[in-house]
Amino acid sequence: MCRIVTYNIHSGVGRDKQHDYKRIGQFLANSGADVVLLQEMDTRPGERDTAQDIKDICANNTFKLIPSPAIRESNGWYGNAILTRFDVLKHDTVDVSQKGRQPRNVQIVELKTEKTPLTVVNTHKGLKKLERRSQFSMLHEHLSQRLKERKTPLFLAGDFNEWQFFSKAFKALNQLLSQQKIGATFPSHFPVFSLDRVWVTEDIEVKSCRKLKNAKTRVFSDHLPVLVDIALPES
């Protein structure tokens, strides 16, 4: 069994206005996650130390962090990151930024699990409809080609920022991968919108997929985390 969490952590700032990567890191460690897909990891504020931010979110070396910055500044970076207890085999980043919009990327990490290599894909899509449509198309094209070249189990998740209730934006992705039912994850205190989503290849057996809503997650971020337990095939 492999446990994966996807979580937009809102730059570490909770609804109580407190910045605290340590409490988020400890929560993730206590969840039993083997892999965590983070969106909005932010180490830029000058009053903080980047190394300490990473130590805190990693829960004092419970996880290793693989960064995928969309924005780099003198004091630090902002973007996606993956936390993992597994060894990393490969790490790629695909730029899906659109002109005039905030930079965005797709983070792709191949992990060495006990059974088989697992590819995890982490992404955070744009706020504008046309921006997202282009990004969804680029993501689909890249994953289609990747799966043709290598049939490794693949797990895709992140904040897709698709606000429409009856969106057809995921038609192509749904033909390529199996989307899991989660429900609304935003805003965390009263979820209305299904922004955080998960897909898997057909060789992955999903044992459980659920949003984590409790007293802590209502406060730690404006998004709820999603926890997924999967069974992987033997290599």
Side-chain angles (χ1 to χ4, degrees), residues 2-210:
C2 176
R3 175 163 288 183
I4 304 177
V5 171
T6 179
Y7 199 6
N8 182 323
I9 56 173
H10 196 236
S11 297
V13 180
R15 291 182 53 250
D16 57 0
K17 309 301 181 184
Q18 297 298 309
H19 179 279
D20 195 340
Y21 279 139
K22 185 175 290 186
R23 67 183 181 182
I24 296 173
Q26 195 58 57
F27 165 77
L28 293 169
N30 291 341
S31 76
D34 299 298
V35 184
V36 182
L37 283 61
L38 297 175
Q39 303 89 46
E40 293 195 31
M41 179 70 188
D42 194 350
T43 70
R44 294 174 296 175
E47 68 274 12
R48 302 200 317 270
D49 177 66
T50 295
Q52 186 62 50
D53 279 352
I54 291 174
K55 182 179 180 181
D56 288 344
I57 199 72
C58 289
N60 289 321
N61 298 317
T62 298
F63 303 105
K64 299 181 285 286
L65 182 140
I66 305 98
S68 184
I71 300 171
R72 294 181 185 271
E73 296 180 2
S74 57
N75 292 323
W77 54 271
Y78 170 91
N80 299 317
I82 286 177
L83 305 177
T84 180
R85 300 177 194 256
F86 298 126
D87 290 334
V88 177
L89 299 174
K90 295 179 182 178
H91 177 210
D92 298 319
T93 295
V94 178
D95 186 4
V96 294
S97 302
Q98 302 295 298
K99 186 176 180 180
R101 305 299 304 167
Q102 185 183 75
R104 306 279 183 176
N105 66 39
V106 178
Q107 180 181 23
I108 304 172
V109 177
E110 188 174 332
L111 300 170
K112 183 181 179 181
T113 74
E114 295 175 358
K115 286 191 172 184
T116 185
L118 169 66
T119 299
V120 290
V121 182
N122 179 26
T123 191
H124 183 196
K125 294 298 184 264
L127 297 175
K128 296 293 185 180
K129 181 177 178 179
L130 292 179
E131 175 189 12
R132 289 195 301 276
R133 294 301 180 271
S134 178
Q135 290 169 342
F136 294 158
S137 177
M138 294 169 72
L139 174 63
H140 177 266
E141 182 180 353
H142 182 85
L143 293 183
S144 295
Q145 186 60 38
R146 192 178 190 91
L147 290 170
K148 285 179 183 177
E149 295 171 357
R150 189 174 183 191
K151 291 290 185 180
T152 183
L154 185 144
F155 181 99
L156 164 66
D159 175 6
F160 285 77
N161 261 326
E162 186 64 23
W163 301 80
Q164 293 177 301
F165 288 107
F166 303 102
S167 173
K168 297 180 180 179
F170 303 119
K171 182 177 180 181
L173 274 177
N174 288 339
Q175 292 173 345
L176 182 67
L177 303 168
S178 175
Q179 184 174 182
Q180 305 304 301
K181 291 184 179 180
I182 298 167
T185 56
F186 179 91
S188 58
H189 64 292
F190 188 79
V192 176
F193 300 104
S194 300
L195 304 190
D196 304 276
R197 295 174 181 261
V198 171
W199 284 262
V200 298
T201 46
E202 61 183 9
D203 51 359
I204 292 177
E205 182 183 357
V206 177
K207 298 290 189 178
S208 174
C209 182
R210 63 190 189 278

